[in-house]
Amino acid sequence: MAHEDQYDFKTIERKWQEIWERENVYSVPNRCDKPNYYVLEMFPYPSGALHMGHIRNYAIGDVVARIKTMKGFNVLHPMGWDAFGLPAENAAIQRGIHPAVWTKNNIAKMRDQQKRLGTSYDWEREVTTCNPDYYKWTEWMFLLMYKRGLAYKKTAPVNWCPTCQTVLANEQVSEGVCWRCGKDVIKKDLEQWFFRTTAYADRLLDDLKLLQGWPERVRIMQEHWIGKSVGADVTFTLPGHKEGITVFTTRPDTLYGVSFMVLAPEHPLVAELIKGSEREQEVLDFVEKCRRESAIVRTAADTEKEGLPLGVYCINPLNGEQVPIWVANYVLMDYGTGAVMGVPAHDQRDFEFARKYNLPIRVVISPPEMELRSEDMTEAYAEPGVLVNSGPFNGLANEEAQAKISAYLQEKGWGQPTVTYRLRDWLVSRQRYWGAPIPIIYCPECGTVPVPEEDLPVLLPENVTFDPGVISPLAHVPEFVNTTCPKCGRPARRETDTMDTFICSSWYFFRYTDPRNDQEPFSKDAASAWMPVDQYIGGVEHAVMHLLYSRFFTKVLHDAGLVEAVEPFTNLLTQGMVIKDGTKMSKSKGNVVDPEEIFAKYGADTARLFILFAAPPDKDLEWSDRGVEGSWRFLNRVWRLVRGHMDVFAAVADTKTPLARAERDLRRKVHSTILKVSEDVEERFNFNTAIAAIMELVNEIYHYVDNVAPKKQNQAIIKEAIENLLLLLSPFAPHITDELWQQTGHQGSIHLENWPKWDEAALVAEELTIVVQVDGRVRDRLVVPADSSKEQVEELALTSPRVQPQLDGKQVAKVITVPGKLINIVTREQV
RNA sequence: GCGGAUGUGGCGGAACUGGCAGACGCGCUAGACUUAGGAUCUAGUGGAUAACAUCCUUGAGGGUUCGAGUCCCUCCGUCCGCACCA
C-alpha cells in the first residue's frame, strides 16, 4: 500500500491524546458560568479488554459529550470501573492470580484502550468500586438501608447457582438460568440479607411516567417486572383450625364459582393438613417431585398441570359451601399467598385442571346475550359479563360486583382489598470473596449489630484461599471473622457474605460528582449540581436489573435527604448490539473483531466514524470490514482536501464584490449542512445521517475546487467551508480534526471551539425544482426561480411538452399545488 | 400465549408533519492517470425493455386520498422481552 498520500494516524492520534491529557482539556468543575450537562456511559466490568460493544457505547457517549461542550455546556463525562465480581475470583482460582491484581491489570489495559479511542473523559473523576475509598461508601449505603429499615435478614428459598456457587436475586435469573453463566438455577433454603425493594414498588412503578426520555420498551419491561395487580385477599375457613387458608384473587366477583382450592407444593399447610391421613405418603412424594423439578420446567406454561386432592375441605365464606383442597404444581409459593381458589369457568388454568380431574365447573359470569353452559365450554370465559348463581349479587355487572363483594368481605372480616406485586425484595448477599463486605457483626449478647460508621471500611483481607462453597471464602479467614462487638466489646463474628456487585453500580453516578470526598459518599451540593444524569447510554440487557436498582437507590437517597433527584437518569439511550454475519459477536461463534486490530490498521478516528455511520445508535450494527475501509478513505479525502488548500487560510473575505453563482451554491451547502448536522445530532442522535451530510459537504467542496478555475476560486469561501467542515466533523473524528485545525493556523484545540451557527441568509434557495405530476405520476420537473408565483408555475406545468401528451383527450379536473415542491394535475375523461 | 420492535436495491442504511422512493457509504461496471494499482479521480449503477419514451417496485392482500414506504384493516416473516402471576 502506498502511504505517501495517506495521513499518519498513528503519530497524529498519539500526539493529540498526549496534548489533551497534558493540558487537561477535559477537566470539568462542578460549577461554572455555563449550564451543566451530565452524559454518562455505563461503566464497564474490567474483564480484560474492550470489545466492539464497549467501543460503540463510548463512541456514542463521546460524540454527545463533545457536541454539548461545543454548544456551551459545562459537561461532566466521567469513566470508572465496576470492578468487583466473579470473573476476578475465578481467575484467582484457575490461575492463582489475586483478584485485586488481576482486576488492576485489566483496568490499566482497558483505560489505555479508552484513551486510544480518543474519549473526552475527565480522568480526575475516575472511580473504581473495588478500591476501599469507594467500597467504604458502598458499605455506608448498606448501613443507610439498615438504618432505614430497608435491609433485613431472613431465611427463604432462594435462587442458587451451583456453577457460580452463590445466590442470585430474582432479577438475575431469567427463564430459570443464571444471568452470568447461563446454567440452571435451583432453589435452596438459606438465611440471607435482602433490600426491601418492594417498599418502593409503587413509586418505582408510578415514576416510570416521569421517564419520557426512556425507550418505551424499557419502561414496559420494568412495569411488567414490578407486576402490580389489584385484587383482594379472601380467607376460606378450615374446620378444626384456627387459621383459614388465605388466597389472593383479582376476581372476587367469581367467588361463587369456586369449586376447589389449590395449594402450592411448598405451602406449609400441605404437610399439616395431611398429617396422619392415609394419603400422607402419596402427597409428600408428589410435593418432593415438584420441588425437584427445575425452575424452567416448573414455570413453563405448557407443563402439564398435575395435582392431588388432600381429602380435606375448607369453607367458602360467601356461600358456606365445602370446597375440596388440592395441591398442584401450577401454583407458585412465591406469588400471592401460595394458595389459589379454583374457578374453572372463568380461569383458563383452573379450567384445564378441573377438566383433567373432573371437578365441577360452575358458571357465575354470564356473557351478554347468551347463556353459557359449563358442559359446552371448551375454554374458560374471562370476559366481562353479568353475575349469575351468585346469591344476592346476581344481576350485577362483574366490574361492579368486584367492588361490592370486596367491600362485603371486608365488612364481614373475611378479607380485604389487596395489591400484590411480582417484584420481590432484592437478595443482596453473595457467598463470594470479591465484593464489598456486608458491615454487620453478630454478637452472642447483642445480636445483629451494624458496624459503626467511623469503623468503615470493613476491609477485605488479602490472604484468602478460594474454596467456593455454600460459605463465603471470608469465613475461612479467622482474622476477618473474629472481632469484637461494637456495643459490648465482647468477642463477636463478622458477617462473611459480600454484597451483590449491583449495589456498587447503583450509586456510582453520584460518586462521580464528588469522587475524592473522604467525609461522605458525596456532598449534596455536588450531587445537586449534576444529578440527574441528562443522558445515560448503555446496553438494553440492563433494562431491569441495573436500571431498576439504580432507581431504587436514588429514591432511598432522596428520602434520606441526601439528594434532590428522585430519578437517576432523565434520558436513556439503549444502544444496539454489534453483530457480524447476522449474529452477535462472540468468541464461540468466532466472529469477533478486536478493536485493537482496527486501531492498529486504521486508527481510532476511522473506527469511531465507521461505528457511528453504519447504523443509528439504537439499532443493531452490522460490522463490515469494507465499511471501515470506506470511513478510512473518507478521512483521507478530508485530509487531502485540507492539505491541498493550505493557502486559503490567509485569505480575507471580500465583502464588497457580490458572490458568483458557484460561490453562492457552495455557501448554501455549507450552511445547510450546519443546519442538517445540528438537527440530526440534537434531536434523535442520528449520527449516521449527520455524517452522511458531512460527506456530501466534502463532495461539494471538491466539486467546487475541481470545477472552478483556480484563479477564479474564492479563497475566503473555501476557507469558510473547510473550517466549518472541520468543526462539524470534530466530535466524530477528534484527532484528525484537531491536527488539521492546528496545521491551518488556528490557535488552541478545535474541541474548545463553539459549535458553528448557520447563516439563514445563505440558506435561501435561488431556484426550486417543482415536480409535475399528472394523476399522481411524475411527468416532468421544472426548475423555476424561487420567487415565481403560483400562477406562473402552474402555467409552465400545464404547457410543458412532457405534460401535454398526458393531457390529450382529457379534461383537467383540478390542479393541486404544494408551494415550492409539487404540482399535481388531476384529469377526468373528456365527456 | 401476551407485550414490544422490525420488514425498503447485491449489502449497511436514507426519506421531517402523506408530496421526486433508494440520500450517504459499501460493492459492482466502464474510463482516466499509471511500470503497476487492492491508491486516486471521472461517469454509471432498483427491476423489465432496443429505448433519454413506457411499465413495475418499500414482506403479502385490501382500503382511505389528487397523491401512501408513511394513515386504516386483514394476514405473513424475523428479532427481543415476559411467560401457569391466581
Side-chain angles (χ1 to χ4, degrees), chain A residues 21 123 163 199 226 232 372 376 417 514 534 605 664 723 739 813:
Chain A
E21 186 153 352
W123 284 107
T163 315
I226 296 166
L372 200 57
D376 302 336
D514 200 4
D534 293 282
D605 282 344
R664 295 200 305 270
E723 283 180 340
E739 175 67 19

Side-chain angles (χ1 to χ4, degrees), chain A residues 12-174:
Chain A
I12 292 170
E13 293 188 352
R14 197 179 310 119
K15 167 185 165 183
W16 286 98
Q17 284 157 17
E18 282 167 17
I19 292 175
W20 297 336
E21 186 153 352
R22 189 167 65 238
E23 298 184 358
N24 267 331
V25 170
Y26 306 119
S27 168
V28 59
N30 273 351
R31 292 190 193 271
C32 70
D33 55 354
K34 294 187 231 171
N36 282 357
Y37 187 91
Y38 189 175
V39 55
L40 183 64
E41 297 109 61
M42 290 180 184
F43 68 167
Y45 177 76
S47 55
L50 296 183
H51 54 68
M52 276 305 168
H54 289 124
I55 300 291
R56 189 176 191 197
N57 192 182
Y58 309 142
I60 293 166
D62 198 52
V63 171
V64 174
R66 290 181 185 278
I67 288 170
K68 285 291 173 184
T69 303
M70 291 177 86
K71 288 192 168 179
F73 290 90
N74 183 44
V75 174
L76 175 55
H77 186 215
M79 183 42 68
W81 309 96
D82 187 14
F84 273 135
L86 263 183
E89 213 166 320
N90 291 337
I93 294 163
Q94 286 155 20
R95 281 176 275 169
I97 312 167
H98 193 278
V101 176
W102 185 84
T103 304
K104 207 178 142 198
N105 291 343
N106 287 349
I107 288 174
K109 184 173 173 203
M110 289 167 77
R111 187 195 294 117
D112 176 63
Q113 289 183 309
Q114 281 173 328
K115 287 185 177 175
R116 279 187 288 141
L117 181 61
T119 48
S120 60
Y121 298 126
D122 180 356
W123 284 107
E124 289 164 14
R125 293 174 182 264
E126 181 180 12
V127 303
T128 305
T129 61
C130 67
N131 286 351
D133 65 359
Y134 185 92
Y135 75 70
K136 169 180 179 176
W137 301 112
T138 303
E139 293 172 3
W140 188 93
M141 293 290 163
F142 185 96
L143 294 178
L144 177 75
M145 294 288 174
Y146 187 81
K147 271 185 278 189
R148 299 184 67 78
L150 296 169
Y152 68 96
K153 207 174 185 189
K154 74 169 178 192
T155 302
V158 296
N159 304 303
W160 173 265
C161 174
T163 315
C164 298
Q165 293 283 324
T166 188
V167 295
L168 295 168
N170 258 35
E171 291 80 9
Q172 296 160 16
V173 181
S174 174

Side-chain angles (χ1 to χ4, degrees), chain A residues 208-209 211-224 540 543-544 571-574 618:
Chain A
L208 284 173
K209 63 177 175 291
L211 302 177
Q212 293 306 308
W214 283 34
E216 194 194 12
R217 70 177 177 134
V218 175
R219 279 182 280 143
I220 289 173
M221 281 164 77
Q222 292 214 352
E223 189 182 323
H224 187 107
V540 74
V544 175
N571 296 294
L572 174 69
L573 174 65
T574 50
D618 56 334

Side-chain angles (χ1 to χ4, degrees), chain A residues 678-694:
Chain A
S678 301
E679 283 178 353
D680 281 356
V681 301
E682 185 71 33
E683 284 163 19
R684 279 190 298 165
F685 296 141
N686 283 342
F687 302 133
N688 55 332
T689 51
I691 293 168
I694 295 171

Side-chain angles (χ1 to χ4, degrees), chain A residues 215 390 437 609:
Chain A
S390 297
L609 198 72

Side-chain angles (χ1 to χ4, degrees), chain A residues 361-406:
Chain A
I361 297 172
R362 185 197 297 155
V363 173
V364 291
I365 307 289
S366 177
E369 290 162 26
M370 68 171 278
E371 199 196 342
L372 200 57
R373 294 151 46 95
S374 61
E375 55 277 21
D376 302 336
M377 293 174 79
T378 53
E379 56 177 13
Y381 179 78
E383 304 299 308
V386 172
L387 269 69
V388 294
N389 300 322
S390 297
F393 301 99
N394 280 341
L396 288 175
N398 75 305
E399 293 95 338
E400 199 185 340
Q402 291 190 353
K404 288 245 165 88
I405 293 179
S406 288

Side-chain angles (χ1 to χ4, degrees), chain A residues 481-705:
Chain A
V481 177
N482 298 319
T483 184
T484 51
C485 171
K487 261 192 193 163
C488 67
R490 275 181 275 206
R493 294 174 59 84
R494 284 192 193 281
E495 167 68 57
T496 56
D497 282 354
T498 54
M499 286 183 239
D500 182 2
T501 57
F502 277 101
I503 295 176
C504 309
S505 56
S506 293
W507 71 280
Y508 78 107
F509 36 90
F510 285 107
R511 184 67 178 174
Y512 281 137
T513 67
D514 200 4
R516 302 292 165 255
N517 194 330
D518 59 4
Q519 301 300 307
E520 48 189 348
F522 48 83
S523 76
K524 189 170 183 180
D525 181 64
S528 300
W530 295 108
M531 289 295 293
V533 173
D534 293 282
Q535 184 64 58
Y536 199 33
I537 305 162
V540 74
E541 65 273 17
H542 288 111
V544 175
M545 296 188 281
H546 164 61
L547 291 169
L548 191 67
Y549 298 145
S550 297
R551 295 183 61 220
F552 167 69
F553 255 77
T554 302
K555 290 184 188 306
V556 174
L557 291 170
H558 175 86
D559 289 354
L562 297 169
V563 304
E564 289 172 47
V566 292
E567 282 289 339
F569 315 119
T570 305
N571 296 294
L572 174 69
L573 174 65
T574 50
Q575 73 190 72
M577 288 188 301
V578 181
I579 59 179
K580 189 163 185 249
D581 312 323
T583 48
K584 187 179 176 162
M585 282 189 185
S586 77
K587 278 184 199 140
S588 58
K589 292 186 191 109
N591 62 346
V592 178
V593 178
D594 184 356
E596 292 282 351
E597 284 172 37
I598 307 300
F599 284 0
K601 198 167 173 193
Y602 303 102
D605 282 344
T606 294
R608 293 167 59 117
L609 198 72
F610 167 72
I611 282 175
L612 295 163
F613 177 63
D618 56 334
K619 299 270 172 55
D620 286 351
L621 181 151
E622 172 78 28
W623 186 267
S624 154
D625 292 333
R626 303 268 201 192
V628 177
E629 197 90 33
S631 293
W632 163 242
R633 279 205 292 264
F634 170 72
L635 289 180
N636 276 297
R637 208 163 134 76
V638 171
W639 179 261
R640 286 192 306 271
L641 175 68
V642 179
R643 297 279 304 161
H645 295 85
M646 300 299 280
D647 49 333
V648 304
F649 291 91
V652 181
D654 169 9
T655 50
K656 297 213 181 94
T657 324
L659 296 176
R661 177 61 189 265
E663 282 78 35
R664 295 200 305 270
D665 285 349
L666 179 56
R667 275 204 89 221
R668 186 175 310 110
K669 187 65 183 180
V670 169
H671 289 274
S672 64
T673 304
I674 297 173
L675 174 62
K676 165 81 175 150
V677 174
S678 301
E679 283 178 353
D680 281 356
V681 301
E682 185 71 33
E683 284 163 19
R684 279 190 298 165
F685 296 141
N686 283 342
F687 302 133
N688 55 332
T689 51
I691 293 168
I694 295 171
M695 289 172 167
E696 283 187 56
L697 174 60
V698 170
N699 293 343
E700 193 90 358
I701 300 173
Y702 267 110
H703 185 259
Y704 176 82
V705 299

